[in-house]
């Protein structure tokens, strides 16, 4: 704890509700891990009570849990639950959903719905033509497709008896719920709808609410700036007015999920409801001093009261840490960037994944031009936004099944390490519900793991060379893990065909990763992408960090929605910039479009002293 800044140390030891505004590189995960360790080890969270940590991304939730395990005795770490918000809400509905009022009760085998704009448009078209439409076709079909979900489906807590049809929007919103719950033999729900159902469940079942409030002495909420109203209402329904101590951590300057229903001012709402004390963190442990100076110029465009953070990371480069490069063509851009990355790798002894290529959207379009140039330079480029089966690659790699299969394959087929063995034992014990104190069961588990690893390495000495072989390998690992155990441990796998979809995508990715690999070690490195340069959208870069960030395409075409939501676009720009430890490069070519509409972004960089250079 000596390394923590004074405000962070205050949060770690606090016995009050805290609203922690932590900028980029402030060490939010480390803060929460140290707070958990302090509470568990000092008895401030006394057994048998537990601590609940809610994150927005699966990898963030698992990273936090891993850090707590590294700091605490297993007896303490076992009382720390680290979940995503979606998993937390879904777990409540899955366990207690049959206690919901009849009108709102989904089928036990409900599926997950991921609607796109066309889905909402089709629903409004059909609802407008419905015979029981009380308001006329024009009124219903005139509702905004873009805002229908936010304004009429998820905008309020669900009334136990249903919404009265007082307006066309309210009638259509209730009709959408009715269709998804009972329109066909099986219910289909979005994750925000599940949060709304979970809140209603808590509201009408005091015993469930009381049980949760008694279970958790403390609750952490990470990336709180992206909280939706439905999620915040659920938190309030459970914990407001109880002894549970709440800690919300995030950065209002990095709010880039308004399109996904994030609240306008979640910190203000939290502080007002819970009486939380606002505590800013003032350090940046990621970025060099000059990058932090430029970041602050961008931050002030989002929040005029933004505190200037102090950089705790030394600079390791001596030339300009930020620049805008102008190119005549996209091919010249690709060739120059590939050569530049190759030279920087040699000069600074860096790996491909110390760099990232960020784009605003449509990563595949950029990949088609960039990939050949980087391959020619000897640098594998991986489009993290590409789909493998039904899964986006970056999201597939954070699936629990993917992480488990990769861990078992590393243990069985690649060079073993003590940390791999320990991690495999830990996750298997968790998967099968074996207590840290059950030495006998853990010895048996270790024997089973060792036996499986020996047998597997004999049966599969080489990586798979066909899709069928890859599927067989994945199925063998799943059989060892236990399909029923997976479904019990990860509730989404028990709904619909989600487990089968992930299994299919996993096998396809394993096959493609092994295609050019001489051995298992190389195949698993290709699976993880440890020797490839990632290409991703800025929304997917949240929470990550790189030595050098190269933002490709700072133009009106990529930022077409800038004028519609300047604050959201500027926050996205800020997020992209703050992923960098040492350097940020923006590229532009007129082949993609002008830069008239986004001139304010260029103005911010100019105000920070960033120079524009014509390269080729």
């Amino acid at each position: 704890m000596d390394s923590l800044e004074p405000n962070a140390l205050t949060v770690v030891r606090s016995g009050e509700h805290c609203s922690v505004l932590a900028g980029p590189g402030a060490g939010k995960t480390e803060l929460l891990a140290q707070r958990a360790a302090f509470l568990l080890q000092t008895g401030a969270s006394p057994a048998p009570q537990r601590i609940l940590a809610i994150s927005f991304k699966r990898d963030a939730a698992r990273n936090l849990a891993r850090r707590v395990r590294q700091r605490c005795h297993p007896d303490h770490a076992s009382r720390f639950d680290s979940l995503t918000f979606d998993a937390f809400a879904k777990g409540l509905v899955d366990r207690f959903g049959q206690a919901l009022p009849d009108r709102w009760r989904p089928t036990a085998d409900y599926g997950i719905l991921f609607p796109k704009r066309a889905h909402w448009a089709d629903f409004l078209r059909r609802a407008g033509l419905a015979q029981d439409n009380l308001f006329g076709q024009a009124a219903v079909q005139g509702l905004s497709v873009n805002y229908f979900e936010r304004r009429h489906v998820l905008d309020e807590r669900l009334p136990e008896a249903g919404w009265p049809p007082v307006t066309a929007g309210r009638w259509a919103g209730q009709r959408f719920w009715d269709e998804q719950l009972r329109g066909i033999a099986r219910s289909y729900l979005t994750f925000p709808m599940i949060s709304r159902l979970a809140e209603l469940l808590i509201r009408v079942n005091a015993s469930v609410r009381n049980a949760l409030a008694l279970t958790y002495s403390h609750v952490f909420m990470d990336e709180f700036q992206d909280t939706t109203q439905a999620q915040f209402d659920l938190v309030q329904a459970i914990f407001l007015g109880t002894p549970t101590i709440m800690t919300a951590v995030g950065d209002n300057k990095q709010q880039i999920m308004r399109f996904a229903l994030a609240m306008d001012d979640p910190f203000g709402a939290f502080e007002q409801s819970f009486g939380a004390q606002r505590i800013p963190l003032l350090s940046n442990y990621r970025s060099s001093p000059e990058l932090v100076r430029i970041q602050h110029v961008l931050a002030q465009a989002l929040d005029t009261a933004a505190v200037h953070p102090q950089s705790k990371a030394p600079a390791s480069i001596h030339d300009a840490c930020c620049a805008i490069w102008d190119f005549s063509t996209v091919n010249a851009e690709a060739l120059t960037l590939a050569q530049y990355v190759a030279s920087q790798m040699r000069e600074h002894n860096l790996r491909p994944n110390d760099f990232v290529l960020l784009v605003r959207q449509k990563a595949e379009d950029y990949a088609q031009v960039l990939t050949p140039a980087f391959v020619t330079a000897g640098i594998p480029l991986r489009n993290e936004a590409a789909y493998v089966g039904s899964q986006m690659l970056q999201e597939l790699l954070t699936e629990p099944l993917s992480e488990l299969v990769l861990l078992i394959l590393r243990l069985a087929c690649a060079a073993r390490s003590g940390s791999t063995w320990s991690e495999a034992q830990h996750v298997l014990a968790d998967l099968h519900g074996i207590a840290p104190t059950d030495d006998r069961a853990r010895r048996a588990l270790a024997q089973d793991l060792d036996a499986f690893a020996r047998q597997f390495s004999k049966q599969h000495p080489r990586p798979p060379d066909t899709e069928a072989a890859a599927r067989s390998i994945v199925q063998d690992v799943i059989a060892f893990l236990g399909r029923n155990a997976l479904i019990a441990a990860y509730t989404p796998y028990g709904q619909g065909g989600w487990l089968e979809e992930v299994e299919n995508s996993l096998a396809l990715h394993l096959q493609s990763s092994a295609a050019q690999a001489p051995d298992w070690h190389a195949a698993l490195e290709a699976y993880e992408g440890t020797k490839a340069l990632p290409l991703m959208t800025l929304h997917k870069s949240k929470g990550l960090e790189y030595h050098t960030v190269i933002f490709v395409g700072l133009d009106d075409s990529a930022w077409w929605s800038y004028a519609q939501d300047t604050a959201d676009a500027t926050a996205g720009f800020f997020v992209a910039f703050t992923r960098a430890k040492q350097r940020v490069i923006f590229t532009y070519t007129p082949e993609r479009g002008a830069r008239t509409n986004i001139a304010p972004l260029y103005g911010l960089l100019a105000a920070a002293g960033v120079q524009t250079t014509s390269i080729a």
Side-chain angles (χ1 to χ4, degrees):
M1 285 187 192
D2 292 340
S3 62
L4 292 178
E5 63 174 271
N7 279 4
L9 191 58
T10 296
V11 175
V12 166
R13 295 172 171 169
S14 176
E16 306 294 332
H17 302 308
C18 291
S19 174
V20 185
L21 265 65
K28 294 184 288 290
T29 303
E30 180 67 14
L31 167 71
L32 292 177
Q34 294 216 27
R35 176 157 170 73
F38 174 82
L39 296 172
L40 292 166
Q41 292 172 340
T42 63
S45 174
Q49 286 189 298
R50 308 176 69 83
I51 296 173
L52 172 65
I54 308 175
S55 302
F56 278 81
K57 296 171 67 176
R58 287 189 297 257
D59 50 348
R62 284 195 284 277
N63 183 31
L64 179 54
R66 191 175 296 116
R67 293 201 193 192
V68 173
R69 289 201 305 271
Q70 291 170 347
R71 285 170 170 76
C72 297
H73 186 277
D75 287 348
H76 292 142
S78 65
R79 293 195 288 116
F80 184 76
D81 297 332
S82 187
L83 305 169
T84 64
F85 224 126
D86 287 341
F88 176 63
K90 190 175 188 303
L92 293 175
V93 173
D94 290 348
R95 280 181 288 166
F96 308 113
Q98 296 312 298
L100 280 162
D102 290 345
R103 172 143 209 175
W104 299 102
R105 186 182 305 143
T107 58
D109 63 341
Y110 69 88
I112 302 299
L113 178 70
F114 297 98
K116 298 185 182 300
R117 189 179 189 278
H119 184 98
W120 300 109
D122 177 66
F123 168 77
L124 289 174
R125 179 190 61 79
R126 290 186 293 103
L129 297 172
Q131 291 184 354
D132 59 340
N133 178 359
L134 304 175
F135 297 89
Q137 178 179 345
V140 172
Q141 294 184 352
L143 296 170
S144 170
V145 174
N146 293 332
Y147 294 99
F148 176 70
E149 180 185 25
R150 178 189 289 269
R151 293 176 179 171
H152 305 299
V153 177
L154 302 168
D155 59 319
E156 295 181 4
R157 295 174 176 87
L158 304 179
E160 188 172 350
W163 279 306
V166 294
T167 65
R170 186 53 74 212
W171 174 84
Q174 184 65 63
R175 184 182 182 87
F176 181 80
W177 273 99
D178 292 341
E179 277 194 12
Q180 297 309 126
L181 288 166
R182 290 179 298 282
I184 53 178
R186 180 182 177 201
S187 303
Y188 279 89
L189 305 169
T190 66
F191 278 112
M193 292 171 74
I194 291 171
S195 288
R196 279 294 181 211
L197 289 176
E199 190 277 334
L200 175 60
L201 170 70
I202 296 300
R203 189 164 15 104
V204 301
N205 289 275
S207 58
V208 176
R209 176 186 188 266
N210 293 337
L212 288 168
L214 288 171
T215 297
Y216 294 113
S217 64
H218 295 76
V219 173
F220 304 163
M221 295 176 290
D222 196 10
E223 299 294 348
F224 191 66
Q225 74 277 353
D226 293 328
T227 299
T228 69
Q229 188 66 56
Q231 292 167 339
F232 184 59
D233 287 346
L234 173 58
V235 167
Q236 290 188 101
I238 301 172
F239 298 111
L240 187 61
T242 74
T244 303
I245 305 297
M246 311 294 290
T247 304
V249 182
D251 182 7
N252 54 1
K253 301 183 297 300
Q254 295 188 64
Q255 189 181 59
I256 58 174
M257 302 301 287
R258 287 189 180 90
F259 75 94
L261 310 177
M263 298 170 64
D264 290 335
D265 183 19
F267 286 99
F270 172 68
E271 290 159 8
Q272 182 175 5
S273 293
F274 287 86
Q277 176 187 6
R278 178 172 290 200
I279 302 176
L281 298 188
L282 307 175
S283 298
N284 185 319
Y285 297 93
R286 175 188 301 149
S287 302
S288 67
E290 181 62 9
L291 278 182
V292 169
R293 183 192 66 79
I294 300 172
Q295 287 173 17
H296 185 57
V297 175
L298 305 181
Q300 287 183 309
L302 293 162
D303 180 3
T304 55
V307 178
H308 198 318
Q310 294 181 329
S311 172
K312 302 294 184 180
S316 64
I317 59 174
H318 302 292
D319 51 341
C321 69
C322 185
I324 302 166
W325 289 356
D326 282 3
F327 297 93
S328 57
T329 67
V330 294
N331 288 324
E333 175 189 66
L335 180 63
T336 301
L337 289 179
Q339 293 173 344
Y340 175 76
V341 170
S343 68
Q344 289 292 295
M345 287 172 58
R346 291 190 298 269
E347 180 179 347
H348 296 285
N349 192 29
L350 299 171
R351 301 164 298 176
N353 63 357
D354 287 319
F355 300 78
V356 67
L357 297 174
L358 293 184
V359 298
R360 182 73 171 85
Q361 58 183 358
K362 298 181 179 179
E364 181 57 37
D365 293 348
Y366 294 85
Q368 291 177 4
V369 179
L370 292 165
T371 300
F374 276 84
V375 170
T376 299
I379 303 171
L381 183 65
R382 182 154 100 161
N383 179 8
E384 300 282 334
Y387 275 82
V388 182
S390 62
Q391 311 286 304
M392 183 184 289
L393 177 57
Q394 189 174 2
E395 294 177 355
L396 173 65
L397 296 181
T398 65
E399 279 286 342
L401 179 60
S402 178
E403 293 195 338
L404 286 167
V405 169
L406 181 63
L407 181 62
I408 298 300
L409 291 179
R410 281 208 178 279
L411 184 68
C413 306
R416 293 190 187 183
S417 69
S419 60
T420 303
W421 178 257
S422 298
E423 182 69 11
Q425 282 188 296
H426 171 79
V427 298
L428 283 174
D430 272 2
L431 186 64
H432 293 282
I434 298 174
T437 54
D438 193 343
D439 293 336
R440 185 174 183 178
R442 285 184 171 256
R443 282 195 300 271
L445 182 68
Q447 292 171 357
D448 291 344
L449 182 60
D450 196 44
F452 175 80
R454 288 197 304 269
Q455 183 64 25
F456 188 93
S457 61
K458 291 178 183 178
Q459 291 179 335
H460 306 284
R462 309 283 301 172
D465 54 5
T466 65
E467 182 179 326
R471 291 188 185 282
S472 176
I473 287 171
V474 172
Q475 289 167 2
D476 285 350
V477 177
I478 290 176
F480 171 67
L481 295 171
R483 190 173 293 270
N484 290 336
L486 287 167
I487 292 172
Y490 307 105
T491 52
Y493 291 161
Q495 300 293 327
W498 188 250
L499 178 57
E500 289 72 23
E501 288 187 35
V502 174
E503 180 182 345
N504 176 63
S505 297
L506 199 160
L508 292 174
H509 184 48
L510 178 60
Q511 177 202 6
S512 65
S513 301
Q516 305 297 325
D519 53 33
W520 269 108
H521 179 74
L524 298 181
E525 283 197 330
Y527 187 98
E528 285 191 284
T530 55
K531 292 187 176 180
L533 192 157
L535 165 69
M536 67 181 70
T537 62
L538 68 87
H539 280 89
K540 295 298 182 181
S541 72
K542 192 85 179 302
L544 305 176
E545 58 182 36
Y546 301 91
H547 176 279
T548 297
V549 168
I550 302 174
F551 196 105
V552 183
L554 189 57
D555 54 60
D556 293 347
S557 176
W559 295 76
W560 58 270
S561 62
Y562 177 80
Q564 299 173 25
D565 193 342
T566 302
D568 192 59
T570 306
F573 186 75
F574 181 73
V575 167
F577 194 102
T578 56
R579 301 307 94 202
K581 298 178 183 178
Q582 296 293 329
R583 194 193 307 272
V584 181
I585 296 169
F586 297 96
T587 74
Y588 171 79
T589 170
E591 279 193 348
R592 291 200 189 93
R595 46 184 168 190
T596 305
N597 295 336
I598 61 166
L601 295 182
Y602 279 92
L604 287 174
L605 293 175
V610 178
Q611 301 295 311
T612 299
T613 304
S614 294
I615 302 296

